[in-house]
Amino acid sequence: MSLNCSLWQENSLSVKHFVFAKFSEVTEQCFLLFTLILLMFLASLTGNGLIALAIWTNPVLHTPMYFFLANLSLLEIGYTCSVIPKMLQSLVSEARGISREGCATQMFFFTLFAISECCLLAAMAFDRYMAICSPLHYATRMSRAVCSYLAMVSWGVGCLVGLGQTNYIFSLDFCGPCEINHFFCDLPPILALACGDTSHNEAAVFVVAILCISSPFLLIIASYCRILAAVLIMPSPEGRRKALSTCSSHLLVVTLFYGSGSVTYLRPKASHSPGTDKLLALFYTVVTSMLNPIIYSLRNKEVKAALRKTLGKKKF
């Protein structure tokens, strides 16, 4: 497939198709990377799918904590499916092109799932805060209606941000080159291809990152500061251990997701490099999604019991 932009645009002012950059010119390296990413992708789909299925089909897990965990698993499935299939195709074939409309669609869904996950992780931290710091009022304050509302807000914010950012960026003209120096239609590499002054668009991306990454993260930190203070004054060592155990898995997921996302979207533009950005994006689109089911299932007896029941096995 030629990278000559004249083949991809209807006029000299607006590129209508893009081409993803090659990962490597060495075929063996691309095949090895394809195999590793495919295995992680399948592991992520299987793990997250099983957790969501186990939670929805086992009444004992119909609690706020597991309701949010099921939503997180669904977000992870959508998150990886919006990016990985096209990347796998680009690794082993010359069909690395994507239309302007296809690129916009991919950006919308990626942004939707990413922002929704940021908000949902904050809702999960609030749930743990209420369970540990206000146990007597937990059942009323974290009712099914409240949990549904928090989940709908998380998905709704993701949808609105995805629509807004995608529309704002793709209202620009793209003069070329048409090669995206990335493996999916992420916001910064697409903005790098736009014509003219993109400072307002870059500012919008930064503001959204502050509001939708930093703000939920600060809420999570505030929740866990209160949780830690409550745990330290618990008289029972067993109570402290149980409280910390229910929070440790969520904290690990937050660290992995927010760590890579913050470095990608909140560091100065001058410090960005295509190689580092690709490595970070690979981490938070594939590795984190694969690790989440492992983190929650291996550290949670109730999830393991539900998975055993769902799979119909005696041992898990």
Side-chain angles (χ1 to χ4, degrees):
M1 181 181 294
S2 172
L3 297 183
N4 186 348
C5 289
S6 64
L7 296 178
W8 294 105
Q9 57 192 48
E10 294 178 359
N11 55 62
S12 60
L13 295 179
S14 184
V15 172
K16 300 299 180 183
H17 287 74
F18 300 98
V19 178
F20 294 113
K22 281 188 175 181
F23 279 84
S24 172
E25 295 296 333
V26 181
T27 304
E28 291 76 10
Q29 290 179 355
C30 289
F31 182 75
L32 176 60
L33 193 58
F34 170 86
T35 304
L36 291 174
I37 293 174
L38 177 61
L39 291 175
M40 289 190 288
F41 177 55
L42 294 176
S44 174
L45 290 182
T46 303
N48 284 295
L50 284 175
I51 285 182
L53 180 63
I55 291 172
W56 292 123
T57 57
N58 286 272
V60 71
L61 297 184
H62 291 179
T63 63
M65 182 174 73
Y66 295 113
F67 170 76
F68 289 127
L69 178 55
N71 273 271
L72 179 65
S73 294
L74 294 177
L75 283 172
E76 293 287 5
I77 291 172
Y79 193 63
T80 54
C81 287
S82 67
V83 173
I84 305 305
K86 185 63 180 178
M87 177 175 62
L88 291 172
Q89 180 189 31
S90 299
L91 277 168
V92 292
S93 74
E94 290 299 316
R96 293 181 288 114
I98 186 169
S99 68
R100 181 183 176 118
E101 294 76 15
C103 192
T105 301
Q106 187 183 62
M107 179 181 290
F108 164 72
F109 281 109
F110 169 77
T111 307
L112 184 160
F113 293 123
I115 298 301
S116 297
E117 184 163 339
C118 288
C119 297
L120 190 71
L121 289 173
M124 294 173 76
F126 177 72
D127 171 65
R128 292 298 84 209
Y129 161 73
M130 292 300 301
I132 294 171
C133 299
S134 187
L136 297 179
H137 303 285
Y138 178 70
T140 55
R141 293 181 179 176
M142 294 302 296
S143 64
R144 180 177 296 183
V146 171
C147 294
S148 298
Y149 174 76
L150 290 174
M152 286 190 294
V153 168
S154 298
W155 286 83
V157 169
C159 186
L160 289 174
V161 172
L163 283 172
Q165 287 284 48
T166 303
N167 182 67
Y168 195 29
I169 289 175
F170 280 89
S171 64
L172 299 170
D173 282 325
F174 298 92
C175 307
C178 62
E179 184 176 88
I180 303 170
N181 198 2
H182 207 32
F183 59 82
F184 71 99
C185 293
D186 200 2
L187 281 71
I190 295 298
L191 274 177
L193 303 180
C195 308
D197 182 19
T198 60
S199 58
H200 293 295
N201 301 83
E202 292 168 5
V205 171
F206 186 76
V207 169
V208 167
I210 291 291
L211 293 176
C212 298
I213 296 179
S214 296
S215 296
F217 183 69
L218 291 176
L219 290 174
I220 293 171
I221 295 298
S223 297
Y224 276 106
C225 286
R226 296 290 299 274
I227 289 171
L228 182 60
V231 168
L232 290 176
I233 62 174
M234 286 181 177
S236 168
E238 179 64 21
R240 290 196 296 269
R241 186 199 64 78
K242 185 176 180 180
L244 291 174
S245 177
T246 61
C247 298
S248 57
S249 297
H250 180 250
L251 274 175
L252 186 53
V253 170
V254 167
T255 301
L256 292 172
F257 183 78
Y258 275 95
S260 54
S262 298
V263 172
T264 300
Y265 295 103
L266 294 178
R267 75 182 194 272
K269 182 181 177 181
S271 64
H272 281 254
S273 68
T276 303
D277 288 347
K278 289 178 186 177
L279 184 62
L280 287 169
L282 194 62
F283 185 84
Y284 63 72
T285 55
V286 184
V287 179
T288 302
S289 297
M290 179 192 69
L291 292 177
N292 285 357
I294 299 173
I295 292 169
Y296 277 107
S297 63
L298 293 182
R299 298 175 62 87
N300 190 300
K301 293 180 180 179
E302 291 178 320
V303 173
K304 287 193 289 186
L307 286 172
R308 281 199 302 268
K309 184 178 179 180
T310 300
L311 296 174
K313 294 182 178 180
K314 294 183 179 180
K315 292 185 178 180
F316 178 75

